[in-house]
Amino acid sequence: MGLPHHTIAQTLVKRLVNHFLNDTTSSAKPHVSFYPTLGYAPETSLEFGLSALYLYHAKNDTLANRLSEIQAFSFFTLRGQYGLNLDHAIYGDNDRWFFLGRGRIQRFPLLYYGIGPRTDPDHPATVDAFSIQLRERIMRRLHPNLFGGLEVDYQHLSRIDFRQPDGPAHDLPLGSLGTSNLGLGLGLIYDSRPNALNPRQGFFGELAYLNYGESRGSNLSFNSVLADFRMYHAIRPNQVLAWQVYGNLMTGNVPFNQLALLGGENTLRGYYMGRYRDKFYAAAQVEYRWLPFPFSRRFGAVVFAAVGTVAPALDQVQFNHLLPTAGTGIRYLLFKKKDVFLRADMGVTREGLGFYILTGEAF
């Protein structure tokens, strides 16, 4: 005789809760999880999604090999928008290889405020388009913690509907009719973090050069130089001080969607991604983390502050246009054996608030 439907439902719920809260999987074994997400933004209305997270150590060796992670997130909204996001940091056995990358396939509105540090916050255009963004770093170990290799970036923007605001119209930027650009280059990465999703100590640094040339099928020709430096200090048990300095310099005929973008869920939290954009972008941020609180097994928090700006070129930075942001966040220990937290952050800027719910730390 079969079990009642309510008993089966209760059993499934208990298994699901136990899977997320108790995390009984051995720390040496791979861990895969699926969980739903729900969000809201004025440009999307309600957003429904499904996330998948795969965590493992090469050869299941937690002593010799770092934690690798592969994340996937798919979503759709009540306004007919959809997308698939992919992120990964994969370390080979004994760090012989390192693959770091991200992918975005989306039909999603982009708010366009113009180019430069003085754009009007009140009258953005809405750029509804289909976009593909693929960035991959293929790195070989050169020395302990030091990797070098090829960097590839492909970005495609098509099916564009550039809707002007009710106020003053924006000049149509370069690339507003759609572009496809392939960048190839070289990079160096120094990475001594044992866990990229939750670094408690160590250093991460990246220097990268990418060239987007028409000879390889790109619509436009331009160059990008990137520098990213992050340091993590264990102050007390389960307390971490982290800081980051980031810069991106671009030259040539850069389309508006590939300019250096200020804002988003990782750097200047509180500003819309692309609220400010130009050929040069620099930012610095500091964050103090309790992971978790001394009086809790699961819950923690962070406080953070950041400052950044954009400019047409490095020698045209105007320090009176520095943009500050600060905020706080709650942390929940999602996978205890892998030391991975779920984060919910709120960033406060001169222009308003930004809210973010994601897996893993911002940097």
Side-chain angles (χ1 to χ4, degrees), residues 56 58 65-68 88-100 136-143 145-150 189 191:
Y56 73 98
N65 295 319
R66 313 183 204 211
L67 181 68
S68 294
H88 63 265
I90 300 173
Y91 301 90
D93 185 32
N94 291 314
D95 285 349
R96 289 190 181 93
W97 291 95
F98 179 33
F99 302 91
L100 180 65
E136 186 62 54
R137 304 156 180 87
I138 305 168
M139 298 287 165
R140 175 73 174 178
R141 187 184 66 183
L142 305 176
H143 194 267
N145 297 324
L146 180 64
F147 305 85
L150 179 67
I189 291 180
D191 188 3

Side-chain angles (χ1 to χ4, degrees), residues 57-170:
H57 296 264
K59 293 190 174 180
N60 295 331
D61 188 341
T62 61
L63 298 178
N65 295 319
R66 313 183 204 211
L67 181 68
S68 294
E69 52 95 2
I70 303 173
Q71 296 190 65
F73 169 62
S74 61
F75 67 89
F76 70 93
T77 77
L78 294 184
R79 296 187 177 177
Q81 300 139 352
Y82 55 85
L84 174 65
N85 299 347
L86 300 169
D87 295 272
H88 63 265
I90 300 173
Y91 301 90
D93 185 32
N94 291 314
D95 285 349
R96 289 190 181 93
W97 291 95
F98 179 33
F99 302 91
L100 180 65
R102 62 181 295 176
R104 301 287 185 266
I105 303 174
Q106 300 178 342
R107 180 182 176 269
F108 199 82
L110 308 171
L111 296 182
Y112 176 74
Y113 296 84
I115 297 173
R118 296 183 177 182
T119 53
D120 184 354
D122 297 324
H123 301 287
T126 301
V127 184
D128 199 356
F130 175 76
S131 66
I132 299 174
Q133 305 171 37
L134 302 172
R135 178 72 182 269
E136 186 62 54
R137 304 156 180 87
I138 305 168
M139 298 287 165
R140 175 73 174 178
R141 187 184 66 183
L142 305 176
H143 194 267
N145 297 324
L146 180 64
F147 305 85
L150 179 67
E151 301 218 4
V152 182
D153 183 48
Y154 173 74
Q155 298 206 31
H156 168 84
L157 195 68
S158 63
R159 306 179 205 169
I160 298 175
D161 179 13
F162 199 103
R163 298 194 293 270
Q164 296 283 5
D166 294 333
H170 294 270

Side-chain angles (χ1 to χ4, degrees), residues 90-362:
I90 300 173
Y91 301 90
D93 185 32
N94 291 314
D95 285 349
R96 289 190 181 93
W97 291 95
F98 179 33
F99 302 91
L100 180 65
R102 62 181 295 176
R104 301 287 185 266
I105 303 174
Q106 300 178 342
R107 180 182 176 269
F108 199 82
L110 308 171
L111 296 182
Y112 176 74
Y113 296 84
I115 297 173
R118 296 183 177 182
T119 53
D120 184 354
D122 297 324
H123 301 287
T126 301
V127 184
D128 199 356
F130 175 76
S131 66
I132 299 174
Q133 305 171 37
L134 302 172
R135 178 72 182 269
E136 186 62 54
R137 304 156 180 87
I138 305 168
M139 298 287 165
R140 175 73 174 178
R141 187 184 66 183
L142 305 176
H143 194 267
N145 297 324
L146 180 64
F147 305 85
L150 179 67
E151 301 218 4
V152 182
D153 183 48
Y154 173 74
Q155 298 206 31
H156 168 84
L157 195 68
S158 63
R159 306 179 205 169
I160 298 175
D161 179 13
F162 199 103
R163 298 194 293 270
Q164 296 283 5
D166 294 333
H170 294 270
D171 294 333
L172 291 180
L174 184 65
S176 61
L177 299 179
T179 61
S180 293
N181 298 292
L182 174 64
L184 297 177
L186 299 174
L188 283 174
I189 291 180
Y190 185 91
D191 188 3
S192 61
R193 306 168 299 172
N195 180 346
L197 279 175
N198 180 21
R200 293 180 179 267
Q201 60 182 3
F203 176 81
F204 174 90
E206 178 181 14
L207 293 172
Y209 168 76
L210 283 163
N211 171 261
Y212 301 78
E214 294 182 28
S215 60
R216 289 189 297 273
S218 295
N219 296 133
L220 299 166
S221 293
F222 55 98
N223 301 284
S224 171
V225 177
L226 178 144
D228 185 359
F229 303 104
R230 314 174 193 178
M231 179 68 80
Y232 308 90
H233 309 271
I235 304 300
R236 295 179 180 178
N238 294 332
Q239 296 184 32
V240 178
L241 176 65
W243 58 262
Q244 179 187 25
V245 177
Y246 179 90
N248 189 192
L249 174 64
M250 313 192 81
T251 59
N253 296 316
V254 188
F256 79 101
N257 61 301
Q258 289 188 248
L259 290 167
L261 307 178
L262 183 150
E265 70 272 15
N266 294 326
T267 311
L268 264 77
R269 282 162 281 180
Y271 284 103
Y272 178 85
M273 172 66 85
R275 167 63 186 90
Y276 295 93
R277 66 182 71 205
D278 215 322
K279 289 186 176 182
F280 177 71
Y281 165 45
Q285 64 178 332
V286 61
E287 182 168 286
Y288 198 91
R289 304 168 179 168
W290 293 266
L291 302 173
F293 287 124
F295 53 82
S296 175
R297 297 177 59 186
R298 293 281 184 173
F299 285 97
V302 308
V303 292
F304 59 87
V307 65
T309 192
V310 299
L314 178 59
D315 59 357
Q316 297 182 46
V317 172
Q318 299 179 22
F319 290 98
N320 59 330
H321 288 118
L322 292 178
L323 301 165
T325 180
T328 186
I330 298 172
R331 298 294 182 268
Y332 179 78
L333 185 53
L334 201 59
F335 307 119
K336 186 175 182 181
K337 298 290 181 66
K338 303 293 188 182
D339 194 27
V340 174
F341 284 76
L342 181 71
R343 68 178 172 104
D345 289 339
M346 178 184 71
V348 182
T349 75
R350 296 169 179 170
E351 300 179 2
L353 305 175
F355 298 92
Y356 313 91
I357 300 177
L358 295 158
T359 303
E361 295 303 322

